Amino acid sequence: MPVPLLDVNAQNHAIADELRDAFDRVLESGRFIMGDEVEQFEASIARFVGAKHAIGVSSGTDAILLALMALGIGQGDEVICPSFTFFATAGCIARTGATPVFCDCHPDNFNIDFDSAEQCISDKTKAIIPVHLFGQSVDMDTCSAFAAKHHLAVIEDTAQSLGAKYREKSCGAIADFGTYSFFPSKNLGGLGDGGLLVTQDDQLADTAVKMRNHGMHPKYYHQMVGGNFRLDALQAALLSVKFAHYADYTAQRQQNAAYYLEQLAGIDGLTLPTIDDGNTHIWNQFTLRVSDGKRDGLKQALMDQNIGCDVYYPVPMHQQECFASQAKDARTSFKITDQLASEVLSIPVYPELNREQQDTVISAIKSFA
Ligand SMILES: *Cc1c(COP(=O)(O)O)cnc(C)c1O
C-alpha cells in the first residue's frame, strides 16, 4: 500500500463544500486584499494562541522578515539562529542587511542550544530567533533568561508549531514576536502561501501593521519603508474554514505519533523523537534518527515500498554556499547539527494517515532494522 509523506487532498477534499462556500463568499464580496476575512482570521489566531495582536501576512518567510524590520534590525547588526532549520529563518536575517550567526542544537529535541548560542554573542548581537522545530517548543524559560541577560529581541519562528505549548503558554505568543506559516505542508495548511505574526506589544504591532503595507499611514504618506506583505482575503477565508477543524487535525497527529512511539520503541540503531517535560508537541514532523550511517539505506528502502519520507534538513545553514563567509567566522562547533543532518529521517504523521498505512510504515522500518 503506498503511503505518502503528506496527503493534502485527503484533508481538503473532505471539507470541499465548506471551502467552496468560502470561495463564493469572497467572490461575491469583491474584496480581495485584506478586509473582514483577514481580520476575522487574525482574531481567531490571536485568541487561540493568547496574543494581543495578530497580523496576517503573505507567507511565513515574510512574517519573519517583517518582524525583523519592525524591530529595526539591519546593517551592522547580528542575529543568532540555529543552523539546523529551514532556510527562511536565516535568509530573512541576511535580507535585512544584518548578519546571521549560527549556533548548534540539541540532539534530543532538535532545538536551539543556548550554551552554543552563548558562544555566538558579540556587542553587535541584537536579536535571536529560536525555531520551534517539528512541532515542539524551544525551552522558552532559558530563551527568555538568555535574551534578558544579553538585551536581545526574540522572534519565535513558529512556522511548524501553531498551537504547540510550552507549559501553559502557546508557542509564538511568549516573546516579542511569533511568526507562523500556512504553507500547505504546515499543520494549518492553506491553499497557497500565507503567514501571520503575533505580538503582545502595541508599539511593535503598530509598526508591523504599517510596514505590512509599505509603511503607509495615512494613505500615500510614508514615515517608514515597508513592503507588500499583505494576506489575501481568499486565503484568509479558506484558512478560517480549515482552522475550525484544527483541534481534530492536531489530535490525529498526536495519536499517530503516540502509535509510532509505542510500536517503534526499542529498535537497535533507531532513536525516536522525545517530548520535553511540560511541552505539548503537535508533530509537524515525526523525525527519527538512524545511526551507523544507515539513514540513506532506510530512506531508500521506504521509497522502494512507496512510503513517503524525507530528510529535514540535509544541509544545515553553516554549510550553505550563500553563507560561506558566516561559516568562516563560526564561533561555535556544529557537532550535533552535522550529526543530525546525516541521521534524521521524517516519516508520515499527517492527520488522515490511517492505522493500516501506519502499520505498513512500521513493518517496513522493522524489516529494515
Ligand atoms: C515553512 C517554514 C518557514 C517559511 O514559511 P513559508 O510560509 O514557506 O514562507 C520558516 N521557518 C520554518 C522553520 C519553516 O518550517
Side-chain angles (χ1 to χ4, degrees):
M1 183 198 326
V3 186
L5 182 55
L6 174 71
D7 188 348
V8 291
N9 286 343
Q11 185 163 93
N12 293 332
H13 292 179
I15 53 169
D17 289 344
E18 293 174 65
L19 292 168
R20 287 201 180 93
D21 285 348
F23 175 86
D24 286 345
R25 195 171 68 229
V26 175
L27 178 66
E28 282 310 307
S29 80
R31 175 107 204 236
F32 303 132
I33 309 284
M34 305 294 296
D36 292 351
E37 297 286 354
V38 170
E39 281 169 26
Q40 277 166 32
F41 178 63
E42 289 171 339
S44 329
I45 299 292
R47 208 175 312 120
F48 179 61
V49 302
K52 191 163 178 200
H53 305 277
I55 302 157
V57 294
S58 29
S59 70
T61 303
D62 285 343
I64 301 169
L65 183 61
L66 182 53
L68 287 162
M69 288 170 69
L71 287 164
I73 304 289
Q75 200 88 46
D77 297 335
E78 292 179 357
V79 179
I80 296 171
C81 76
S83 179
F84 194 65
T85 182
F86 177 62
F87 180 78
T89 319
C92 289
I93 298 169
R95 286 172 65 192
T96 66
T99 302
V101 179
F102 304 122
C103 68
D104 209 4
C105 59
H106 283 292
D108 303 327
N109 59 20
F110 311 108
N111 280 332
I112 186 166
D113 175 357
F114 289 99
D115 291 332
S116 171
E118 186 78 48
Q119 300 170 343
C120 297
I121 289 286
S122 82
D123 55 9
K124 294 179 180 165
T125 314
K126 290 284 158 41
I128 184 165
I129 309 186
V131 182
H132 304 295
L133 207 64
F134 302 151
Q136 167 158 239
S137 182
V138 165
D139 175 353
M140 288 308 292
D141 281 351
T142 302
C143 183
S144 301
F146 180 84
K149 177 180 169 194
H150 298 291
H151 310 289
L152 307 180
V154 180
I155 299 169
E156 303 175 62
D157 182 345
T158 322
Q160 303 182 5
S161 295
L162 171 68
K165 293 230 163 128
Y166 177 76
R167 308 189 196 283
E168 295 309 307
K169 293 178 189 159
S170 270
C171 289
I174 301 169
D176 296 297
F177 275 116
T179 66
Y180 302 88
S181 164
F182 309 115
F183 185 80
S185 70
K186 310 295 172 163
N187 285 30
L188 181 60
L191 281 70
D193 278 311
L196 182 136
L197 62 167
V198 300
T199 182
Q200 312 287 9
D201 185 294
D202 297 345
Q203 189 62 49
L204 287 175
D206 184 66
T207 306
V209 165
K210 286 175 182 157
M211 282 185 161
R212 168 172 65 177
N213 192 20
H214 298 294
M216 183 157 72
H217 185 77
K219 210 169 181 186
Y220 304 124
Y221 287 80
H222 305 260
Q223 300 163 282
M224 59 184 91
V225 177
N228 172 0
F229 302 123
R230 299 177 305 243
L231 179 62
D232 290 346
L234 182 57
Q235 198 58 249
L238 297 169
L239 283 165
S240 290
V241 168
K242 298 202 68 177
F243 185 61
H245 300 272
Y246 194 60
D248 291 337
Y249 298 156
T250 300
Q252 284 160 353
R253 283 179 183 270
Q254 287 167 334
Q255 275 168 28
N256 293 343
Y259 190 60
Y260 278 142
L261 289 174
E262 174 192 303
Q263 297 292 317
L264 292 173
I267 298 176
D268 256 5
L270 205 68
T271 307
L272 297 176
T274 55
I275 309 172
D276 287 352
D277 275 354
N279 275 359
T280 306
H281 203 314
I282 60 150
W283 302 104
N284 181 244
Q285 300 293 345
F286 190 94
T287 302
L288 307 167
R289 286 171 52 199
V290 191
S291 52
D292 308 322
K294 291 193 175 145
R295 191 268 314 275
D296 292 341
L298 176 58
K299 180 173 184 229
Q300 193 57 52
L302 294 180
M303 306 263 275
D304 288 346
Q305 293 167 76
N306 281 315
I307 295 171
C309 59
D310 215 338
V311 175
Y312 305 110
Y313 296 92
V315 187
M317 293 309 111
H318 72 278
Q319 305 273 16
Q320 296 290 348
E321 191 177 335
C322 64
F323 294 134
S325 65
Q326 283 87 346
K328 217 163 63 245
D329 297 330
R331 298 170 194 166
T332 182
S333 105
F334 296 103
K335 190 164 158 276
I336 304 299
T337 296
D338 288 328
Q339 185 186 345
L340 289 179
S342 71
E343 289 187 353
V344 290
L345 187 65
S346 298
I347 57 175
V349 72
Y350 63 90
E352 297 73 22
L353 187 71
N354 62 40
R355 217 10 101 74
E356 200 184 347
Q357 290 174 308
Q358 259 198 302
D359 285 331
T360 305
V361 178
I362 290 161
S363 62
I365 291 172
K366 281 185 169 162
S367 62
F368 177 84

